[in-house]
Amino acid sequence: MPPFLHPIEDPADPRIEAYLDIRERDLKGRGGRFVVEGEVVLQTALKLGRFAIESILIGENRVVPLADLLAGVPTSIPIYVATRAVLDRIAGFPMHRGILAIGLRGEPASPESLLAGMPENALVVGLSGIANHDNIGGIFRNCAAFGVDGVLIDAASCDPLYRKAIRVSAGATLVTPFAQGGDIAMLCDALLAHGFEVLATSPAGRETLHDVAPRKRQAVLFGAEGPGLPGGILSRLRSLRLDMRGGFDSLNVATTSGIVLHHLAR
Amino acid sequence: MPPFLHPIEDPADPRIEAYLDIRERDLKGRGGRFVVEGEVVLQTALKLGRFAIESILIGENRVVPLADLLAGVPTSIPIYVATRAVLDRIAGFPMHRGILAIGLRGEPASPESLLAGMPENALVVGLSGIANHDNIGGIFRNCAAFGVDGVLIDAASCDPLYRKAIRVSAGATLVTPFAQGGDIAMLCDALLAHGFEVLATSPAGRETLHDVAPRKRQAVLFGAEGPGLPGGILSRLRSLRLDMRGGFDSLNVATTSGIVLHHLAR
């Protein structure tokens, strides 16, 4: 069935208000909404995402190339087609990606409620101070690829539903369940209380990844490159490192998460 | 010993000509030179790098905070201290990183000469169409961390000594030997001729990573996300995939390289 499209000619049309001034709102927030960019991420949001999509906005010139995607959009989601005048109001933004959507955050999960819903066999990731959108996006992409059941994120880490984090994650932050709040020590306590073996990653870890076998309920914590996890956390937990060769012992935290999760997800 | 510093007050001073208009030159090239940015990367370039550093440029306000690094710079490398007038001429560039250096590319290695110098036990990476600076930087960072002996890069991939690639690699492109040129089929032939087992990575690989054991001489090829490696290459070689769970089967190529190299470097 061909999609039903709503042409928008007036940039002040209230139906597309959420799309205007995209970059400015990255900073001041967008009140319970988030932005999805591009065909691949939107496909993921529609097929695997846990959040409601409120509407879709597409440039006139992209209607034909993206016809297949549009045909699969549920009729309950309005698809707005933007003219030049509207595109100009989302200025500075790469609308050449051709398609945007607005999603609704809904009620955020608490760490406690996320853990209460975990299955008997579960792999959980805990993040401390991951303030870089590329890194949090990259970590979530790995979590989704290796079937992580949930991500607990401390308050010092950035928002997984920030526009760039969603894009870098290839939509994974819309797929893998997460809860954000508190500090990593609190999150660690909650994991232990729910019967998880909690592993801490650190370049100074006492064991290597190869020493660690997958368990029924397992969680692995990652800290920011540089500061890493707090010392108080490292001393309480099994800590693991990746063996590197030569004098260059530096790995990106998202890459580290990929290596560790590939190992534990077997 | 305190370092000997050369103050530069005139933006037209020929000694710092190579630092001006940094971004413009990213596009038009800089004739046999490359730019190193930031304290960490410069430390790596000085300690582990294979390239000569021609000079260093530092903002006045960074001399004290970076005193330790400066004290370790060989006296043969001039250290220029930039005043405000000079900083303004590298406009648009984040000189808040505080320190820049110019390196010399020297004579580029050919794939043949790189392979001729390989030890009996060697792990080599081959790259096809990696045109994104974040990805080539990320791959090199993993290569350096896991002790890869050399990287062969096709002509369609980007330059590992491009400014952003060096930065993202945390300096690894200055450390791990590489040679660039030709297409991936030629590079594959050269590897086979030098006695390498050549593995191709692909989401449709016939074996999983766990099926592959490290060998004396081993090479692994990575293609760009999306197009991947050419079909003609995949059909000739052992091809390997990473097992993923759920419907989200998407990994970043740099992360993939980290997982594969961590496995093969054992």
Side-chain angles (χ1 to χ4, degrees), chain A residues 141 145 147 225 244-245 250-251, chain B residues 141 145 147 225 244-245 250:
Chain A
R141 191 170 172 185
E225 285 170 59
M244 294 181 237
R245 294 200 299 189
S250 157
L251 274 180
Chain B
R141 191 169 171 186
E225 285 171 59
M244 293 181 239
R245 294 201 299 189
S250 157

Side-chain angles (χ1 to χ4, degrees), chain B residues 159-252:
Chain B
D159 175 10
L161 298 184
Y162 186 87
R163 182 168 61 87
K164 190 181 180 190
I166 296 174
R167 186 177 76 231
V168 173
S169 79
T173 62
L174 308 177
V175 175
T176 301
F178 67 83
Q180 184 162 23
D183 62 32
I184 193 69
M186 287 169 47
L187 299 175
C188 179
D189 288 340
L191 285 161
L192 294 168
H194 280 83
F196 281 82
E197 177 189 47
V198 184
L199 306 166
T201 54
S202 166
R206 289 178 294 276
E207 299 175 80
T208 81
L209 182 59
H210 305 294
D211 298 326
V212 179
R215 292 258 196 109
K216 264 193 163 187
R217 288 200 147 192
Q218 206 162 33
V220 56
L221 310 184
F222 299 95
E225 285 171 59
L229 291 166
I233 290 284
L234 284 172
S235 58
R236 291 165 62 183
L237 301 172
R238 278 184 83 176
S239 62
L240 61 92
R241 66 181 187 277
L242 299 181
D243 277 326
M244 293 181 239
R245 294 201 299 189
F248 190 95
D249 54 349
S250 157
L251 274 180
N252 168 264

